[in-house]
Structures are given as structure tokens and as C-alpha cells.
Amino acid sequence: MIRLVPQPQIIKEKGGFCKSNEMICVKNMSFTNKDAYRIVADEKITIYAGDERGFFYAQKTIKQLNALYGESIPRCEIEDCPVFSYRGFMLDCARHMIDFDEIKKFIDLASDLKLNKFHWHLSDDQGFRIELETIPELTEKGSVRNGDNFGSMCKSDKPYGGYYTKKQIAEIVEYCKERYIDVIPEIDIPGHSSAILHVFPELSCKKEPVEVKMRQGIYKDNFCIGNADTFEFIKKLLDELCDMFPYEYFHIGGDEAPNDYREDCPLCNNALKENGLKNFNELQCVFSNKISDYLKTKGKKAIVWNDILKGKKLDSDIVIQRWMDKKNLAPEYANRGSKVIISDFSPYYFDYPYGMYPLQKVYSYNPLGNKVLDKNGRKNIIGTEAPMWTEFVDNPQRLEYMLVPRWFAFAENSWTEQKNKDYPSFKEATQLLTNSMTDFNVAPLCDWDMPKLKRLSDTASFFNKFLKK
Ligand code: ACM
Ligand code: ZN
């Protein structure tokens, strides 16, 4: 049986083998899904697709067939198209930078697995990582912290700094484009913004000095959302960034933004009154709506983490990324007609150890399985995303260990219909495919489905294993 990852929707095997070095491409097929393709592998191989994108995915399928069978591949017919149009991966390059070439390596792997959105987390409490022409002091000062204090895993007294140059960013955007991957930058506001506020403390509620943070956490310092200067600053930042990232979506964060300092802030309190709002969660929605409107003037749309739904005032055309949503506000938002991306932290946060989110748990997750979703809501789930946070990941070996093979399970969840999934055959195919990935530090097979970690201290000992490597 032919078994690929992600598994195509329909494979009819015809018996025997055929050479794969001669291909005929038939384009302009009227497939409704742009990612769809059909392969007829007979005497010769014929690929049918709507446009270049479908053709690209067909070639990825043939590449995997070659990896598994060699140049002669089984005679077959494959009809394929993805369940979701948005199949994303996030790399947090704020907590720890990921080497430029390492990012490219993961973009290559993502495209082999038919993922198509790279959410690039570039600003957080622990660093701002973009070269800017219009606000150079933000790059210079916001990209450096005094050390690392992320538990025993990543501890150092040495200053840590770095950013991606405009040239590097342009190269990554182009590299992705060649692989049909769109790049979505994230500037996390109004919370997780200590690195920016370190340079512009006057834009915080307290207006006091703010450090670029050295440890993980949720910090009370965040942008004053009642201050008109904050909005002007963000407009200026977006003016430069929108030119660097051509894709229509822009991520503006919105998660974990405590209101504590707003209570005593005259500007936030004024804004609350002026807008006739009940609380600061509503004010955060109004603030995000304004940024979303500004993005629209540039032909762009905003994505925001689901925390913002607490405020009940969010414009319905803002896309929500769901990560932790105990009250199921995101599925309700989808039911009402708005777009949602599923990144549920359990099991899609691959910074968590295998003992918590083993391969089978990741694989068996159904992104449309939430009970609150109705028929309309399911249609509004545009896709999935696997975020990779890097507080505890400061080297490529660890990054690769955490993501491979879990990206394979995630990719199949994002592309393949639930009814066509099967764990034992998936695991076997993933073993074969990852065996040949000699340039990656693939997690050893014994870790893929390691026994459940029961306590947080087990998690710590799991992480400590890396220190000994
Ligand atoms: C998040 O993990 N705070 C989005
Ligand atoms: Zn304020």
C-alpha cells in the first residue's frame, strides 16, 4: 500500500512500476481548490492541476514516492486536495533567534509536508528582532537583553542579542514564495511588548523604565492603549513592516495583556469613558479594531490570538488564532461567521515535551472536533497552525528534536481528511521518511510515544536531558 505524509485523499494502485523521470503537465484544469492536483502514473507520469500551486504539490508527492521507492514508482492514480487552506507553522525568533540557514531548512521541510503559512514571531518581551530604517533605535536597543534566565535550560549572564536584517527578511520572504509559503509577521501588542517599551517607556501606562526581559512569563508592562501616541507609533512601525511582508495577513498578537496598570492610568480611564466601554478588555478590542482598520488601508487583514475575545467588541473581520480558550469563545466566533485558525496548545505547542504531547496524541487530534462548532463554524475554521515557542530552545539540535517528527503528524492533520488517517501506517511512513533526514536531529523512535509525564518536575527532567547532550 502506498503511504505518504500527508496521505493523499485518494490513491488507486494499478500494480507494477513506472519510471518517474518523464512527466507531462496539464495545467488550467478547473479544480475548485488551488492546491488540488491529480497524478496518473502509468507509462509516463501525467500531472493535472489548476495552476502552478497544484503542480508544485504534485511534484512534492512524486518527490516522496521517489524517496520511498526510488526512481521507479508504483503505477497509480492519485487525486488530492487539502482539507484546510491555511496550514501554518510558527517560529518564535524573539526568545531565541533561529539561525537564518536553520529557518530555511525548516521552510524546506514545511514545503515537503505541504505546509503553506510561516508565522514569524519577531517581537516579544525578550527581544525585537527586525532591522528598521525608520525606527533604528528600536532594533539597536530592543534586540538586546542582559542575559538568559529561562530556568536551568537556558541560563547565562552574557548579554543576548540579534536581529534579522532587511536583506535577510527579504530573502526569507522570497524563499518562501518560491515554495508557495506566505510569511505572516507577528508584532505582539499591547502585551508581550517589553522589548519595544524598553526603548519607548513613555508609551506604557506607568511611563517608567522597562527592561528587555530575561525570563519567560506574562508581564504587567504593556502598551498604554488609551494613549494616542501609542497608535501613532504603531502606525509608523506598520508602515515599514507592511512593505517588507507582502502577504495580506499581519499578526498583531493580543495575547496575555494584563490590565493591572490600566486601573491607575488616566489615559486608559479616559479612553474607557470616551468610548462608553465597560472594561479594559473592551478597550483592547477597540484598540485592535483601530489597528486592523489601519492595516486595511494597506490592503491587509489582522490576525489576533483568541485572548482578545474576552472583550466582546472585536470586529468580525479579524481572524482569531485559537490557542487556549477554555470558554470556547473562538468556536462561537466561528459559528457567528468569523474566521478562526486552530493552534490549540494541547497538542499543537511543540515546545512541550513528547511526554506530554506524544506523536499519537498530536496525530489523533481533530481540529474540527470541538463540540461547540456548528456546521457554519466548521466552514470558518480556515486552518491549523503549530506554534514553536523558544524560551527553552536555544540551539538547532533541540529545535529539530522537538519538531521532527511532530510536524509530520501536524501536517497530516492539516491536509488529510480524518477518514483517510491511520496512525500505524502514518508512523511507519514517517519512520521511513525521517530515516533519510540525516541533516536533522530527529527525535529517536523511543521518544515519539514516550510514556505520559505526570508532573511538571518530570517535564523539567525531560528538558534537562538536553543539557547532558
Ligand atoms: C500564547 O501562547 N501566549 C499565544
Ligand atoms: Zn494606559
Side-chain angles (χ1 to χ4, degrees):
M1 188 192 105
I2 296 174
R3 187 46 162 108
L4 308 176
V5 181
Q7 179 72 337
Q9 312 303 353
I10 299 174
I11 304 183
K12 285 187 206 139
E13 296 189 42
K14 297 178 168 183
F17 286 82
C18 63
K19 288 258 180 240
S20 62
N21 47 8
E22 226 182 299
M23 280 186 231
I24 301 167
C25 306
V26 184
K27 285 182 215 155
N28 303 320
M29 302 296 294
S30 59
F31 294 147
T32 45
N33 189 315
K34 277 189 172 274
D35 296 346
Y37 66 89
R38 180 163 171 249
I39 297 173
V40 179
D42 222 319
E43 297 296 297
K44 287 186 182 118
I45 294 183
T46 312
I47 297 175
Y48 301 88
D51 69 7
E52 298 295 334
R53 216 142 54 110
F55 184 57
F56 178 79
Y57 289 127
Q59 283 180 313
K60 289 293 178 193
T61 294
I62 291 168
K63 183 180 167 189
Q64 262 195 22
L65 286 166
N66 289 145
L68 294 168
Y69 296 95
E71 205 179 278
S72 289
I73 62 168
R75 287 176 63 238
C76 64
E77 275 187 45
I78 296 177
E79 277 178 44
D80 201 11
C81 80
V83 174
F84 294 115
S85 61
Y86 185 114
R87 305 178 297 278
F89 59 100
M90 191 203 86
L91 298 176
D92 167 11
C93 293
R95 272 51 178 267
H96 287 105
M97 285 195 68
I98 300 173
D99 286 346
F100 183 65
D101 288 334
E102 184 71 8
I103 295 178
K104 283 187 166 177
K105 221 166 119 177
F106 274 104
I107 292 167
D108 281 335
L109 177 61
S111 82
D112 283 349
L113 293 171
K114 302 188 173 93
L115 302 179
N116 67 351
K117 309 288 170 198
F118 170 27
H119 170 182
W120 200 356
H121 188 81
L122 286 161
S123 174
D124 212 299
D125 294 306
Q126 295 79 5
F128 182 89
R129 309 259 169 247
I130 308 169
E131 180 189 28
L132 293 173
E133 260 164 34
T134 53
I135 321 176
E137 66 274 36
L138 177 52
T139 310
E140 192 197 326
K141 296 182 193 147
S143 63
V144 185
R145 60 177 181 255
N146 289 335
D148 268 19
N149 194 4
F150 299 101
S152 58
M153 291 289 295
C154 303
K155 211 173 172 68
S156 158
D157 293 333
K158 288 198 206 95
Y160 180 98
Y163 56 87
Y164 301 97
T165 64
K166 283 179 101 72
K167 189 163 164 281
Q168 284 178 319
I169 289 172
E171 201 175 319
I172 291 288
V173 168
E174 186 57 31
Y175 198 76
C176 283
K177 187 172 164 215
E178 287 161 6
R179 287 155 185 78
Y180 295 88
I181 294 174
D182 300 305
V183 183
I184 301 160
E186 180 185 353
I187 302 297
D188 204 341
I189 45 178
H192 286 290
S193 51
S194 304
I196 304 177
L197 295 174
H198 173 64
V199 190
F200 302 100
E202 66 276 16
L203 298 179
S204 68
C205 287
K206 287 203 157 194
K207 300 182 172 28
E208 286 171 4
V210 177
E211 285 302 300
V212 183
K213 302 296 190 288
M214 296 193 285
R215 54 167 73 225
Q216 73 173 135
I218 300 173
Y219 294 95
K220 289 179 184 168
D221 285 312
N222 62 72
F223 274 105
C224 177
I225 54 178
N227 186 344
D229 292 348
T230 295
F231 188 57
E232 289 310 309
F233 169 83
I234 286 165
K235 271 166 56 182
K236 186 172 173 189
L237 185 56
L238 292 179
D239 284 345
E240 183 161 349
L241 295 178
C242 286
D243 287 343
M244 293 166 70
F245 295 96
Y247 184 48
E248 65 175 334
Y249 283 110
F250 199 106
H251 205 305
I252 53 170
D255 58 318
E256 299 178 323
N259 288 318
D260 303 47
Y261 293 167
R262 306 201 196 294
E263 302 293 340
D264 295 325
C265 172
L267 293 175
C268 281
N269 280 293
N270 267 353
L272 206 63
K273 257 191 239 136
E274 268 173 23
N275 289 285
L277 303 171
K278 286 208 254 336
N279 55 48
F280 294 119
N281 290 334
E282 291 192 352
L283 185 61
Q284 193 187 333
C285 288
V286 169
F287 171 78
S288 299
N289 293 344
K290 259 174 85 173
I291 297 169
S292 159
D293 286 344
Y294 188 66
L295 285 169
K296 277 186 225 164
T297 67
K298 295 171 175 293
K300 295 198 184 282
K301 297 176 187 165
I303 304 179
V304 185
W305 296 105
N306 70 261
D307 312 43
I308 193 124
L309 291 172
K310 283 185 296 199
K312 317 277 183 210
K313 289 273 180 197
L314 197 71
D315 285 348
S316 59
D317 55 2
I318 293 180
V319 177
I320 283 292
Q321 182 166 7
R322 179 187 203 257
W323 72 283
M324 188 189 275
D325 179 31
K326 288 194 187 108
K327 294 193 174 154
N328 279 317
L329 300 180
E332 282 170 7
Y333 188 67
N335 291 348
R336 291 197 299 274
S338 298
K339 292 195 171 82
V340 171
I341 298 159
I342 302 293
S343 296
D344 292 358
F345 84 99
S346 172
Y348 282 168
Y349 270 29
F350 298 155
D351 50 320
Y352 282 75
Y354 282 83
M356 288 173 80
Y357 306 156
L359 194 64
Q360 185 158 16
K361 181 170 173 145
V362 176
Y363 187 81
S364 57
Y365 196 65
N366 178 1
L368 298 177
N370 186 291
K371 297 270 189 306
V372 173
L373 277 175
D374 62 19
K375 201 167 157 218
N376 191 38
R378 277 194 290 278
K379 274 196 239 142
N380 288 318
I381 303 298
I382 57 170
T384 49
E385 189 179 299
M388 181 63 207
W389 302 102
T390 58
E391 286 96 334
F392 304 112
V393 176
D394 65 353
N395 63 72
Q397 290 74 26
R398 205 179 294 163
L399 182 70
E400 293 170 10
Y401 174 96
M402 300 306 267
L403 293 181
V404 187
R406 287 191 288 195
W407 263 22
F408 283 64
F410 168 74
E412 186 144 312
N413 274 355
S414 307
W415 182 283
T416 308
E417 287 180 29
Q418 290 290 318
K419 68 175 167 55
N420 295 329
K421 285 169 55 184
D422 167 67
Y423 187 64
S425 62
F426 158 80
K427 191 170 177 180
E428 206 176 307
T430 300
Q431 249 175 285
L432 290 171
L433 290 166
T434 53
N435 270 346
S436 59
M437 291 171 60
T438 48
D439 54 340
F440 274 85
N441 178 35
V442 178
L445 185 60
C446 58
D447 285 2
W448 291 13
D449 283 310
M450 67 161 60
K452 194 169 157 42
L453 295 177
K454 289 185 198 68
R455 301 182 313 272
L456 214 59
S457 58
D458 296 333
T459 312
S461 71
F462 168 88
F463 279 124
N464 280 331
K465 227 173 74 171
F466 288 114
L467 291 176
K468 297 192 190 92
K469 274 192 180 167

